[in-house]
């Protein structure tokens, strides 16, 4: 039997943060042997916010290289750039006609991003989840690993596929959503009630970026907000800062939260934060080394990118064709 298909994507909107790594990339890695995985640099999604053209290409190459540096094998997986496969935009248009404006208006990310980009609430920001649905449905993906913040978008994707199939028969695969039990929402280090973002601009101490040098990681960790209990216990309601650090530690060292609590029993927060910082540094070290090696030869990286797009396109063209036929296009 052929392997089931996995699809996921990350926006080239800054240097990926620890939240992206723990919430998404760790699962990407875990799935690569058992599934036929497609991992995408979703550059079309990223232009819903203005980007400097002279920097955009570098951000795309950076994320592409970081996928590989973080442990995704470009031979085993299909790693590619969204805009290199025009079927994404093509299917998104079709799916727009099977999505209701009421559904899009309820999306919390749209409401949040509109608040943050008051001077540029463009239609792309609004129809963003339709493009995301197209990404997934274009490959007949069975499983989509994401962080908690993308759950609402993926539920809409499922609704669109179910609606389409009700009209035309079983044309689209309705995907399952995969969210990690621990680490689905890594919080800002200095504001642990809000999710860590890679496009953090207000306070860089809130996010650890995958390319941060060890001294920067340790300094950010030292400044992380905790509480005044001096007790390393997992309690998201009363101790959000400490719980966030415990989550990071647990996911990176593969030690359970309970064992981590035991490990830090009687230890002060300084000791605890130092240990979490070191776990982060040790995780990032091999990723950064491999990243530097890959970026020393962008021409070779571009060859991999081209191969990825060709592999992706072979699948996308087929699904695009079946979907168009189902609607009745001649
Ligand atoms: P931006 O800041 O540009 O909006 P982002 O950091 O939210 O970006 P995305 O590219 O939108 O990142 O998301 C890529 C993947 O990382 C998604 O699966 C998303 O759910 C996951 N993710 C993002 N932030 C976190 C977080 N703080 N904790 C866990 N998972 C996260
Ligand atoms: N919308 C996602 C990124 C994304 C994605 C996808 C994730 C675009 N297309 C398809 C999973 C499947 C985000 O902003 N985090």
């Amino acid at each position: 039997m052929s392997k089931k298909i996995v699809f996921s994507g990350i926006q080239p909107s800054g240097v990926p943060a620890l939240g992206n790594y723990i919430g998404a990339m760790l699962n990407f890695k875990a799935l690569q042997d058992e599934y036929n995985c497609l991992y995408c640099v979703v550059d079309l999604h990223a232009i819903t916010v203005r980007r400097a053209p002279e920097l955009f290409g570098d951000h795309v190459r950076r994320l592409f290289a970081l996928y590989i540096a973080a442990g995704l094998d470009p031979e085993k997986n299909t790693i590619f750039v969204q805009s290199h496969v025009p079927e994404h935009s093509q299917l998104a248009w079709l799916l727009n006609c099977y999505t209701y404006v009421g559904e899009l208006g309820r999306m919390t990310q749209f409401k949040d991003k509109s608040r943050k980009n008051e001077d540029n609430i463009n239609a792309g920001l609004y129809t963003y989840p339709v493009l995301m649905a197209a990404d997934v449905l274009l490959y007949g993906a069975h499983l989509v690993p994401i962080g908690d913040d993308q759950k609402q978008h993926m539920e809409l994707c499922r609704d669109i596929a179910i609606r389409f199939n009700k009209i035309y028969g079983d044309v689209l695969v309705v995907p399952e959503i995969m969210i990690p039990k621990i680490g689905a929402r890594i919080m800002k280090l200095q504001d642990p009630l809000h999710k860590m973002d890679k496009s953090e601009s207000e306070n860089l101490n809130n996010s650890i970026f995958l390319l941060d040098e060890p001294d920067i990681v340790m300094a950010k960790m030292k400044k992380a907000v905790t509480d005044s209990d001096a007790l390393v216990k997992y309690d998201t309601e009363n101790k959000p800062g400490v719980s966030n650090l415990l989550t990071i530690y647990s996911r990176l060292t593969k030690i359970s939260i309970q064992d981590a609590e035991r490990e830090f029993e009687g230890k002060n927060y300084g000791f605890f934060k130092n240990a979490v910082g070191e776990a982060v540094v040790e995780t990032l070290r091999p990723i950064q080394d491999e990243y530097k090696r890959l970026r020393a030869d962008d021409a070779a990286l571009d060859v991999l990118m081209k191969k990825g797009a060709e592999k992706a396109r072979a699948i996308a063209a087929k699904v695009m064709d079946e979907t168009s036929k189902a609607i009745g296009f001649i």
Side-chain angles (χ1 to χ4, degrees):
M1 221 184 76
S2 60
K3 287 181 178 176
K4 287 200 166 174
I5 297 172
V6 165
F7 183 97
S8 198
I10 298 182
Q11 298 185 65
S13 49
V15 183
L18 200 57
N20 303 121
Y21 182 75
I22 293 177
M25 290 164 113
L26 274 180
N27 261 345
F28 294 4
K29 232 173 23 174
L31 295 168
Q32 65 180 335
D33 291 317
E34 208 180 316
Y35 292 85
N36 182 3
C37 302
L38 296 115
Y39 296 123
C40 188
V41 175
V42 290
D43 57 346
L44 297 173
H45 278 94
I47 66 160
T48 49
V49 173
R50 294 278 173 266
R51 308 272 163 214
E54 64 281 11
L55 300 179
F56 197 35
D58 188 56
H59 289 195
V60 170
R61 283 200 184 90
R62 184 171 62 200
L63 178 55
F64 187 85
L66 275 171
Y67 271 149
I68 300 172
L72 299 177
D73 181 343
E75 292 294 325
K76 250 188 242 170
N77 305 284
T78 303
I79 307 178
F80 72 106
V81 177
Q82 189 183 28
S83 65
H84 295 174
V85 181
E87 283 83 357
H88 287 257
S89 316
Q90 217 180 329
L91 184 61
W93 169 255
L94 302 189
L95 297 180
N96 262 318
C97 303
Y98 301 86
T99 308
Y100 297 115
V101 291
E103 291 176 309
L104 294 175
R106 281 198 289 278
M107 295 292 120
T108 54
Q109 183 175 297
F110 171 67
K111 291 187 222 167
D112 285 353
K113 296 227 163 168
S114 309
R115 231 175 285 126
K116 283 190 200 151
N117 299 286
E118 260 178 358
D119 53 344
N120 181 23
I121 307 179
N122 58 70
L125 211 52
Y126 191 64
T127 58
Y128 180 109
V130 183
L131 179 59
M132 185 164 158
D135 297 341
V136 170
L137 301 176
L138 196 49
Y139 299 95
H142 300 97
L143 192 64
V144 180
I146 45 166
D148 182 61
D149 63 303
Q150 295 301 312
K151 187 164 172 240
Q152 196 186 25
H153 286 163
M154 274 310 301
E155 280 165 352
L156 177 59
C157 168
R158 285 171 52 87
D159 289 344
I160 296 170
I162 292 168
R163 183 173 302 144
F164 191 94
N165 286 349
K166 255 204 188 129
I167 308 172
Y168 302 107
D170 272 342
V171 180
L172 301 171
V173 175
V174 181
E176 297 299 325
I177 305 169
M178 179 185 193
I179 295 176
K181 281 198 191 77
I182 301 164
R185 183 174 284 261
I186 299 298
M187 303 309 218
K188 290 185 198 289
L189 295 180
Q190 300 207 338
D191 173 13
L193 296 180
H194 292 102
K195 150 187 167 328
M196 183 187 283
D197 288 316
K198 77 168 106 58
S199 56
E200 173 73 52
S201 53
E202 275 165 32
N203 177 359
L204 292 182
N205 287 320
N206 271 329
S207 294
I208 289 177
F209 303 103
L210 298 192
L211 296 175
D212 280 352
E213 298 283 342
D215 55 332
I216 304 274
V217 172
M218 296 308 282
K220 286 182 178 176
M221 209 40 99
K222 208 176 242 168
K223 290 189 201 127
V225 166
T226 47
D227 49 53
S228 52
D229 299 347
L231 184 68
V232 181
K233 264 251 150 284
Y234 189 82
D235 175 352
T236 48
E237 206 155 290
N238 299 306
K239 297 169 73 65
V242 169
S243 304
N244 191 39
L245 297 182
L246 267 173
T247 304
I248 293 172
Y249 188 75
S250 162
R251 283 284 272 165
L252 297 185
T253 59
K254 302 191 180 77
I255 292 173
S256 72
I257 299 264
Q258 290 83 345
D259 284 348
E261 283 175 341
R262 240 168 269 140
E263 186 178 332
F264 296 110
E265 221 173 81
K267 298 285 196 303
N268 64 30
Y269 284 164
F271 181 93
F272 171 52
K273 287 196 215 174
N274 202 57
V276 183
E278 272 168 12
V280 176
V281 168
E282 288 317 313
T283 303
L284 299 189
R285 193 189 308 281
I287 298 177
Q288 295 178 353
D289 288 349
E290 179 63 3
Y291 175 77
K292 279 185 205 127
R293 194 187 67 76
L294 289 162
R295 288 307 306 267
D297 188 356
D298 275 355
L301 207 60
D302 288 2
V303 170
L304 288 177
M305 235 181 232
K306 195 158 177 268
K307 275 194 196 154
E310 279 163 8
K311 262 161 68 181
R313 209 161 174 198
I315 311 175
K318 208 167 143 270
V319 175
M320 191 64 224
D321 191 48
E322 286 162 10
T323 312
S324 304
K325 280 207 181 101
I327 296 174
F329 287 114
I330 57 166

